[in-house]
Amino acid sequence: MDESGRRRQQRRNHPSSSSSSTSSSTGTPRFRSQKFSLNPDKTTQSSNFGPFSMPYHLFVPEHEGEMRQTLASYILVSLSSCLALTISLKYVQASDVRPLSVLEDTLNYLLYLLDSSEHPFEVVHDFIFDRTRSIRQDLSMQNIVNDRAIHMYEKMVKFHVVSRHRLRNCGSSSISSLQYLNMEQLTKTLASLYILYEANHRSISIYENEAEFRSLYVLLHLDSKSQQAESKSFWFCRVPSLIMKSKEMHFTGQVLRFYRMGNYRSFLCTVSDEPFVNEVRTLAVSYINNCCYKLHPYPLEQLSKLLMMKESDVESFCHACGLETVTDDGGTKSLPTKQTTFSIPKGSFQSYSLLALQQ
Amino acid sequence: MAYPSMGEAHRRTTDYLNKFSDAVSYQDVASLAHLFSFSFSFSFSSNSPSLLSVADALNFFQDSNRLIKQSDKFSQFGEILAPLFRSLQCYRLGNLVDAYHAFEKFANVFIQEFRNWESAWALEALYVIAYEIRVLAERSPEKLKGAGSFLTKVFGVLAGKGQKRVGALYVTCQLFKIYFKLGTVNLCRSVIRSIETACIFYFEEFPRRDKVTCMYYTGRLEVFNENFPAADHKLSYALTHCNPLREANIRMILKYLIPVKLSLGILPKVWLLEKYSLLEYSNVIQALKRGDLRLLRHALQEHEDQFLRSGVYLVLEKLELQVYQRLVKKIYFIQKQEDPSKAHQLKLEVIVKALKWLEMEVDLDEVECIMTILIYENLVKGYFAHKSKVVVLSKQDPFPELNGKPVNSWRLTL
């Protein structure tokens, strides 16, 4: 092999240029950690993690650099359209697992990065996503189930909740898979958090934030027919009584009641969370189109108050639902009812701002 | 614990071994089952202290294995008896985790033998084993998952062709109880699928008690998932076929059937609630009859814990739409008495006023929303005139009865 061929071979053998990794710009699966190349030199004190620099030891165990270069030590788990990278357990040594205080520092640093405006949010999310999952793995392997673990899990849940909101505003082509994975991890992290709460219930009746985090599950899974959620009734069976009597669960119960009844008026006055808001708006338009008097078109001004949207947004929303709007001689816009062309908009809605927030 | 003499301990153990061996030889399933019916024998109400005394003897004697190996009559069952004895000893000493482990070991070997026996003569004994596995696991909850896996295996042995299949439903019911206890009711789905696949042609062949239990649990699952027609069918089956003397069981079925029936517009009589101590539903029913939303909310609040624990709270909460329907109907009847020609026009402000009397502060927009829901869900026939803030009712049958059909979930129609 000539010199150029040797150099090409060396590049192929380097983990960051593994044949399994592909360009992130195509949005196709890649090894997440290889975006941030690791310095395998154990003696270096810091490492350049792509856009983020921080002390090496806070991210990975000492031997990880070496291990990542050994393809046989990788276990690849195919997860819908993405590849997730995990390290074979048999190669994990006790010294590889970070102690609790290091994990806490790592997590605090990661969450500090969450507000970074230097990079697109999906890059930040991606970076933190991998590392928080690694933190959870370290916690789990050490079987840490105390208060400090609970606080860490609560913070990680918050990260996923923030990501859920902010990823919606990102425009990259891989967003839907990021959103899916984020939601999946959010559900898993919540489930682990609940197990921690229950494991610690002997020493304390309920935790300070437990009601808030329990109610989060309900708010995330208002639609009980979603595959990720079990029956709401069955879920409530197992929630401690003290939690059910909390103000957070009381609020959540009201939101759930509005949603289940189809009470769009009360729901839209209370909730700002997409996609449920747009779902309920669609419902409201459907009801009004179906039930109102044909000879009295429904004023868009009134509709905008009900749907908590700007009037111009209401017009385009109606059009997205397959309904026509009319303008009379005085310039007043309204929705003729009993139209037969109503349909549920396919794909995701454009983002409509909430009227109340603007005020 | 009574300590017998060595001789007495030896005698009791040998006596047990003889009973076991004879029961198998003569296919005497009742005697056989009795020999490992721990829960019955150790209960305070039991009049047969024999297992207790055998357990004491084993704990004293400590050399039962030698006794088993001494005679061919016993040694052929050595692999079954050794773990069974260990389990009995541990159970007597209150060491329930070890008792479970040993019992499962015994059960595994027994299943292998059972499989080899051509006829289903030992089915009743297998029922006892399935029951004891579950009860033992419930007393050491960390073993519940393992008990579930074990019983799934037993189900596999029984399901299929042949006389033994008639036992599959009993094991299924034990599995349901475990999954409900564990909170993993989603696992019931695979069991139900297996039962439906394996037993679709001969469900009626199963013993009545197993059919009733099966329908009760699957009916409860339908309630959790708010499939009310299916829940009605299954729970009604359980009720119809349940032994009328088993009042506790009837009460359990009614606890779930009543909310289901209410969702279908069918109200039970008060005497039923009184007879089976289900008075927590009485105010709910009153609220439905009177159109009293305040009473419904009060009833839900008063029994919130109970309704949440049993999983019917959300079902009852959804009755709100029917309560609204009843209220609007009453307003209509009052208007009809005053001026029949205008009765079919309901002003929104009148409904607002009625709700205010019920201490519900709502505005016109909210009442408009509620009326559109009622019209959309076919609880009210008519249309809403936004300009004049009036609901115009159909002159024919403006308040259709549900007639056994639940109010549609809007998610299905959207």
Side-chain angles (χ1 to χ4, degrees):
Chain A
M1 192 189 290
D2 61 10
E3 184 59 34
S4 60
R6 267 198 295 276
R7 272 192 246 116
R8 275 198 299 277
Q9 185 65 40
Q10 281 169 357
R11 278 200 296 275
R12 273 198 292 275
N13 286 343
H14 195 279
S16 61
S17 61
S18 160
S19 57
S20 323
S21 79
T22 55
S23 162
S24 61
S25 62
T26 62
T28 49
R30 54 182 166 79
F31 295 157
R32 292 178 188 276
S33 60
Q34 287 166 0
K35 188 174 169 58
F36 309 103
S37 56
L38 305 177
N39 186 342
D41 183 352
K42 292 176 228 175
T43 61
T44 51
Q45 291 305 301
S46 69
S47 188
N48 201 0
F49 286 83
F52 306 107
S53 296
M54 73 165 285
Y56 185 94
H57 72 280
L58 285 186
F59 275 106
V60 293
E62 277 190 26
H63 304 298
E64 185 171 309
E66 265 178 23
M67 285 197 289
R68 286 180 185 270
Q69 292 176 31
T70 310
L71 282 176
S73 69
Y74 287 98
I75 297 172
L76 297 175
V77 177
S78 178
L79 191 71
S80 69
S81 62
C82 281
L83 291 174
L85 179 66
T86 61
I87 293 187
S88 167
L89 284 178
K90 68 180 179 180
Y91 289 96
V92 175
Q93 302 163 23
S95 58
D96 295 342
V97 179
R98 293 160 287 177
L100 182 57
S101 53
V102 170
L103 292 173
E104 283 173 322
D105 290 344
T106 307
L107 183 61
N108 288 336
Y109 186 84
L110 288 170
L111 296 179
Y112 164 73
L113 292 175
L114 197 55
D115 293 325
S116 159
S117 54
E118 287 175 49
H119 309 284
F121 181 75
E122 57 264 40
V123 172
V124 174
H125 161 83
D126 202 34
F127 183 77
I128 301 176
F129 181 99
D130 271 347
R131 272 121 194 106
T132 49
R133 205 164 52 160
S134 165
I135 288 173
R136 285 201 304 280
Q137 187 176 353
D138 280 15
L139 286 171
S140 167
M141 282 169 64
Q142 295 173 82
N143 202 26
I144 301 175
V145 294
N146 57 22
D147 288 9
R148 289 160 75 183
I150 286 177
H151 290 140
M152 289 180 70
Y153 269 88
E154 287 176 349
K155 287 179 184 173
M156 288 189 275
V157 166
K158 281 185 183 165
F159 154 66
H160 286 296
V161 171
V162 166
S163 285
R164 181 175 173 268
H165 177 67
R166 292 180 67 176
L167 281 174
R168 272 195 213 114
N169 299 325
C170 297
S172 88
S173 54
S174 62
I175 273 305
S176 62
S177 60
L178 284 180
Q179 285 175 315
Y180 177 87
L181 289 172
N182 182 63
M183 194 61 203
E184 193 181 59
Q185 287 305 308
L186 170 51
T187 310
K188 280 186 183 166
T189 313
L190 265 180
S192 302
L193 177 59
Y194 297 155
I195 292 172
L196 287 176
Y197 284 145
E198 280 155 23
N200 286 277
H201 269 165
R202 285 186 206 97
S203 55
I204 188 168
S205 49
I206 55 168
Y207 275 84
E208 186 188 341
N209 301 319
E210 189 174 346
E212 181 188 345
F213 283 89
R214 292 268 188 190
S215 63
L216 187 58
Y217 179 87
V218 180
L219 294 172
L220 290 170
H221 299 105
L222 285 177
D223 174 8
S224 65
K225 300 227 185 315
S226 121
Q227 283 175 357
Q228 291 168 324
E230 60 183 322
S231 142
K232 214 66 89 267
S233 287
F234 188 67
W235 190 85
F236 280 129
C237 269
R238 295 167 301 146
V239 176
S241 188
L242 268 177
I243 302 282
M244 291 309 299
K245 291 186 189 335
S246 67
K247 62 180 190 317
E248 289 89 350
M249 281 308 269
H250 179 71
F251 169 79
T252 301
Q254 276 190 317
V255 169
L256 184 63
R257 180 161 53 88
F258 298 151
Y259 183 83
R260 283 160 48 84
M261 296 300 153
N263 187 336
Y264 53 83
R265 165 86 168 105
S266 299
F267 185 89
L268 293 171
C269 284
T270 315
V271 174
S272 61
D273 184 36
E274 296 177 30
F276 296 117
V277 157
N278 280 333
E279 208 176 289
V280 174
R281 282 171 173 158
T282 310
L283 173 83
V285 167
S286 169
Y287 279 5
I288 287 168
N289 177 57
N290 189 278
C291 305
C292 286
Y293 188 36
K294 192 171 180 174
L295 296 181
H296 291 166
Y298 204 94
L300 289 197
E301 190 194 346
Q302 173 63 13
L303 197 53
S304 83
K305 283 184 197 153
L306 281 179
L307 302 185
M308 306 291 276
M309 294 164 84
K310 286 190 291 189
E311 206 175 309
S312 53
D313 284 345
V314 172
E315 194 174 4
S316 71
F317 189 85
C318 289
H319 295 160
C321 293
L323 300 175
E324 289 176 1
T325 53
V326 296
T327 311
D328 66 14
D329 297 335
T332 306
K333 293 190 179 178
S334 50
L335 171 72
T337 56
K338 302 288 189 194
Q339 293 185 55
T340 56
T341 52
F342 173 83
S343 63
I344 302 166
K346 288 188 177 37
S348 56
F349 287 98
Q350 72 177 78
S351 186
Y352 299 104
S353 54
L354 267 180
L355 195 62
L357 290 175
Q358 285 184 319
Q359 292 167 349
Chain B
M1 198 183 306
Y3 288 104
S5 65
M6 182 63 85
E8 176 61 19
H10 189 280
R11 188 198 67 74
R12 288 181 197 172
T13 309
T14 313
D15 188 46
Y16 183 97
L17 289 169
N18 275 315
K19 280 181 179 161
F20 190 97
S21 162
D22 291 344
V24 174
S25 302
Y26 298 118
Q27 297 189 351
D28 178 1
V29 69
S31 304
L32 180 65
H34 180 73
L35 293 172
F36 35 80
S37 183
F38 289 9
S39 310
F40 176 73
S41 294
F42 281 75
S43 67
F44 288 111
S45 57
S46 169
N47 288 324
S48 54
S50 55
L51 267 188
L52 258 169
S53 63
V54 173
D56 287 340
L58 288 169
N59 278 323
F60 182 74
F61 190 47
Q62 293 287 342
D63 199 12
S64 51
N65 280 335
R66 187 176 60 83
L67 207 59
I68 293 169
K69 283 173 188 162
Q70 263 179 2
S71 155
D72 285 344
K73 189 182 177 191
F74 308 147
S75 62
Q76 60 177 316
F77 304 117
E79 281 186 22
I80 294 180
L81 288 166
L84 179 57
F85 277 173
R86 211 162 42 246
S87 181
L88 190 50
Q89 285 172 263
C90 293
Y91 195 96
R92 182 66 173 117
L93 295 171
N95 188 346
L96 295 176
V97 173
D98 287 346
Y100 173 84
H101 275 144
F103 196 92
E104 197 188 293
K105 239 180 185 154
F106 145 71
N108 263 315
V109 183
F110 187 92
I111 300 288
Q112 298 310 317
E113 286 301 317
F114 179 87
R115 210 182 238 170
N116 294 335
W117 294 325
E118 271 192 37
S119 77
W121 73 267
L123 207 50
E124 289 290 331
L126 196 67
Y127 291 163
V128 169
I129 286 176
Y131 176 84
E132 292 294 332
I133 280 277
R134 175 179 66 84
V135 169
L136 267 172
E138 280 176 2
R139 294 181 65 183
S140 27
E142 65 266 36
K143 296 294 151 205
L144 268 174
K145 242 184 183 166
S149 305
F150 174 79
L151 289 178
T152 308
K153 204 165 54 178
V154 176
F155 176 84
V157 167
L158 293 172
K161 294 179 186 164
Q163 297 173 328
K164 295 174 186 174
R165 71 188 184 192
V166 83
L169 203 60
Y170 181 85
V171 175
T172 304
C173 293
Q174 299 305 308
L175 270 170
F176 284 153
K177 294 183 188 202
I178 286 177
Y179 291 148
F180 270 73
K181 198 102 187 180
L182 271 174
T184 53
V185 293
N186 50 310
L187 293 177
C188 291
R189 269 186 235 126
S190 58
V191 180
I192 292 166
R193 259 199 306 270
S194 305
I195 273 283
E196 285 172 354
T197 312
C199 311
I200 191 166
F201 296 113
Y202 48 86
F203 184 76
E204 291 305 319
E205 288 178 23
F206 290 121
R208 188 173 74 159
R209 118 198 121 179
D210 297 341
K211 285 187 293 194
V212 168
T213 309
C214 179
M215 286 300 206
Y216 166 75
Y217 279 105
T218 52
R220 277 186 65 183
L221 286 174
E222 301 290 6
V223 175
F224 281 138
N225 295 324
E226 297 191 6
N227 296 330
F228 297 129
D232 182 28
H233 166 71
K234 290 176 180 176
L235 292 171
S236 296
Y237 182 103
L239 184 69
T240 317
H241 292 80
C242 184
N243 183 339
L245 299 175
R246 302 276 192 192
E247 291 200 358
N249 288 350
I250 292 178
R251 184 180 184 280
M252 281 165 69
I253 297 168
L254 284 172
K255 200 161 88 154
Y256 296 95
L257 186 55
I258 287 174
V260 168
K261 288 290 192 187
L262 294 178
S263 302
L264 300 173
I266 300 163
L267 274 54
K269 301 273 188 260
V270 173
W271 67 259
L272 189 72
L273 304 184
E274 286 168 353
K275 181 173 180 181
Y276 294 103
S277 308
L278 289 164
L279 291 167
E280 61 267 29
Y281 292 121
S282 55
N283 277 345
V284 174
I285 292 162
Q286 271 290 81
L288 278 166
K289 284 179 178 172
R290 296 195 328 214
D292 188 343
L293 198 62
R294 178 182 49 187
L295 185 60
L296 175 68
R297 290 196 180 164
H298 171 77
L300 291 179
Q301 203 176 7
E302 191 184 352
H303 301 286
E304 188 184 68
D305 264 351
Q306 198 173 356
F307 290 151
L308 282 169
R309 295 287 146 249
S310 54
V312 299
Y313 185 94
L314 294 182
V315 175
L316 296 171
E317 199 183 49
K318 213 165 176 189
L319 297 174
E320 207 170 272
L321 289 178
Q322 287 165 250
V323 175
Y324 273 118
Q325 182 205 40
R326 183 67 187 155
L327 176 68
V328 173
K329 195 173 180 179
K330 281 177 106 168
I331 296 171
Y332 166 74
F333 282 137
I334 291 168
Q335 282 189 187
K336 204 171 178 182
Q337 283 174 352
E338 289 175 358
D339 186 354
S341 65
K342 290 211 178 120
H344 65 288
Q345 292 177 14
L346 295 179
K347 289 189 181 167
L348 282 196
E349 59 192 29
V350 173
I351 303 173
V352 170
K353 206 183 253 183
L355 288 168
K356 254 195 179 115
W357 287 336
L358 291 171
E359 295 167 6
M360 315 244 102
E361 291 293 335
V362 291
D363 59 19
L364 281 173
D365 284 340
E366 178 134 6
V367 173
E368 176 184 309
C369 170
I370 289 162
M371 290 314 302
T372 56
I373 299 170
L374 293 180
I375 295 169
Y376 195 90
E377 301 288 1
N378 207 36
L379 287 167
V380 168
K381 258 202 211 157
Y383 60 83
F384 175 68
H386 169 74
K387 230 178 187 175
S388 42
K389 301 281 184 224
V390 166
V391 174
V392 179
L393 299 173
S394 163
K395 293 216 171 127
Q396 274 186 339
D397 190 25
F399 302 100
E401 299 288 339
L402 288 178
N403 281 333
K405 273 190 186 169
V407 174
N408 277 329
S409 160
W410 63 264
R411 290 289 304 165
L412 294 175
T413 55
L414 190 63

